[in-house]
Amino acid sequence: MTTRDADEFTEPLPATRRALLRRVALGQVEGRAPSLVGAVVREGRLVWTGSRGRVDGPEGSAPDADTQYRIGSLTKTFVAVLVLRLRDEGLLDLGDPLAKHLDVPQAEGATVAQLLAHTSGLAAEARGPWWERTPGALRPETADIFGERPLVHPAGRRHHYSNPGFALLGALVERLRGAPWGEVLADEVLEPLGMGRTSLDPRAPHAEGWAVHPWADVLLPEPAEDTGRMGPAGQLWSTAGDLARFAAFLLDGDARVLGAESLAEMRVPAVAPEERDWDGGYGLGTQLVRHGGRFLHGHTGSMPGFLASLWVSAEDRLAGIALANTTAGPAIGAIAADLIGIVAEHEPRIPEPWRPLTEADPALLALTGPWYWGPRAYHLRLRADRGLELSPATQGGRASRFRAEPDGTWTGLDGYYAGETLRVVEGEGGAPAHLDLGTFVFTREPYAPDGVVPGGVDPEGWRAL
């Protein structure tokens, strides 16, 4: 085992472990939760779990990484993965109107992407009574989840969280797969990822859901109903151990389930945040937040008697998980985010060692070095897998990474040039003459008289005043 392997996959240092446990303990006490479990994933592996409280009363057992809790709206991220799988297989396009695949007049005009991003304009909740606390049999058909006013905003206009929207996405999965969404999830996601303790219904050992009286330290049991058609909005039960596997998947992807590129697409902000929520946003079935200067993606969840949160920091390659069995109280999202911050601050990530490429393509090497967009200098570097990285030589300018395509072009991955095509235009003898990047021309010299510059170059060239 290398030094890097030994450092990354051992448990955190004693001082870090104490700080993590203290955060969980504070969350349980301040939130007055019967029990609370926390977990940390580093470099794709579960490296720490801790808990406070009991799951079966004062004389019961302490929860651990194998204790099931209901995870509420974290279910939505699982459903989004199923939808992205359908897209990647060519069975749908995210721009498709839902009506292309499902006959749901209440969602007329809404696209698949808008449902994933909560911009469909659909109402926030299903038709009463309170769907999280009542049997799903009260809403046996998809049409039964809608009230008198299913649309409250024009489709695509703004972010408006909609639980019925994800019920429709579950129905979409069922229509295109020909099987219940829960079975599809188990076959296509849970089994490949080894998530054997994630299920639609509770399986022992599991926590009981409680409401805590706001003015007294007494409890009231909460119902744990099968929500039926609304299940894709919040039905799942899971454990800290299983969610650690899911967090590792959200970070790097898994070829058996969904690739890293599609997962990265899920965490791109799909709509501007509301005016009072500029530290948060939403992608495709994924919540986005900034906490302690870090960009986190994942989801929070709540159901009667339960709270859950899973956040991933791609930059730190860390994930934090928090689960509690109370309807309200603990700041569950902040607890999970703080677990990430504690490890990142106590034990900053050691960067991977630099390694040279295993082979060098002379044609690619010929592209590297300085290029100029007008008078602005850039560096072009060769990355692994024939990728390129364009960065300004001085402050300002637009940087992007590029993925090599089979046709000899490159596609921008981030920044201003995300999705744009980079082409090499050859000159005499086949040498690269200039770069065409979405019509921007990069030349080997700044405004050379013989350069291919749109609008031409003054024939007298550079001069002194």
Side-chain angles (χ1 to χ4, degrees), residues 98 102-107 115 120 122-132 134-152 162-172 174 181 226-233:
L98 182 66
L102 281 178
D103 182 16
V104 185
Q106 295 89 342
L115 290 168
S120 66
L122 287 170
E125 304 298 342
R127 184 172 67 188
W130 190 348
W131 69 268
E132 292 99 332
T134 54
L138 295 176
R139 293 163 291 273
E141 303 298 332
T142 301
D144 297 326
I145 68 176
F146 296 103
E148 295 181 358
R149 190 181 173 214
L151 282 172
V152 296
S162 173
N163 285 298
F166 267 77
L168 294 182
L169 290 172
L172 174 64
E174 293 185 353
W181 75 274
D226 180 343
T227 56
R229 290 288 177 183
M230 289 298 296

Side-chain angles (χ1 to χ4, degrees), residues 103-334:
D103 182 16
V104 185
Q106 295 89 342
E108 184 177 359
T111 68
V112 175
Q114 288 168 349
L115 290 168
L116 286 168
H118 296 287
T119 58
S120 66
L122 287 170
E125 304 298 342
R127 184 172 67 188
W130 190 348
W131 69 268
E132 292 99 332
R133 302 184 89 251
T134 54
L138 295 176
R139 293 163 291 273
E141 303 298 332
T142 301
D144 297 326
I145 68 176
F146 296 103
E148 295 181 358
R149 190 181 173 214
L151 282 172
V152 296
H153 300 290
R157 183 68 58 84
R158 63 182 295 178
H159 177 80
H160 184 74
Y161 198 88
S162 173
N163 285 298
F166 267 77
L168 294 182
L169 290 172
L172 174 64
V173 170
E174 293 185 353
R175 173 63 60 85
L176 296 182
R177 287 296 194 219
W181 75 274
E183 293 182 10
V184 177
L185 179 68
D187 292 341
E188 299 186 7
V189 178
L190 303 182
E191 183 176 346
L193 296 181
M195 297 179 65
R197 293 283 291 141
T198 300
S199 56
L200 296 180
D201 300 306
R203 298 175 183 173
H206 67 83
E208 299 292 338
W210 298 97
V212 180
H213 195 287
W215 315 121
D217 292 339
V218 294
L219 306 177
L220 184 73
E222 289 273 31
E225 297 287 354
D226 180 343
T227 56
R229 290 288 177 183
M230 289 298 296
Q235 178 72 24
L236 286 178
W237 295 71
S238 191
T239 68
D242 265 16
L243 290 178
R245 296 179 181 91
F246 192 60
F249 160 71
L250 291 178
L251 186 61
D252 291 325
D254 187 309
R256 299 168 299 173
V257 180
L258 200 65
E261 289 184 12
S262 292
L263 286 168
E265 187 178 353
M266 289 173 61
R267 59 181 182 258
V268 174
V271 66
E274 295 294 301
E275 60 180 334
R276 296 183 181 181
D277 192 26
W278 284 97
D279 289 329
Y282 209 90
L284 301 176
T286 305
Q287 287 179 320
L288 314 171
V289 298
R290 289 198 177 275
H291 184 89
R294 291 179 173 83
F295 174 76
L296 308 177
H297 67 279
H299 219 291
T300 57
S302 66
M303 288 292 279
F306 294 95
L307 297 170
S309 183
L310 182 158
W311 295 123
V312 177
S313 170
E315 181 178 0
D316 297 300
R317 294 193 57 79
L318 290 169
I321 297 160
L323 304 169
N325 61 332
T326 180
T327 302
I332 204 73

Side-chain angles (χ1 to χ4, degrees), residues 336-371:
D338 286 345
L339 298 181
I340 292 175
I342 288 168
V343 176
E345 291 163 13
H346 281 69
E347 303 176 25
R349 183 173 183 254
I350 299 174
E352 296 182 20
W354 175 85
R355 294 186 179 91
L357 295 175
T358 56
E359 58 180 351
D361 184 335
L364 292 178
L365 288 175
L367 298 179
T368 62
W371 289 89

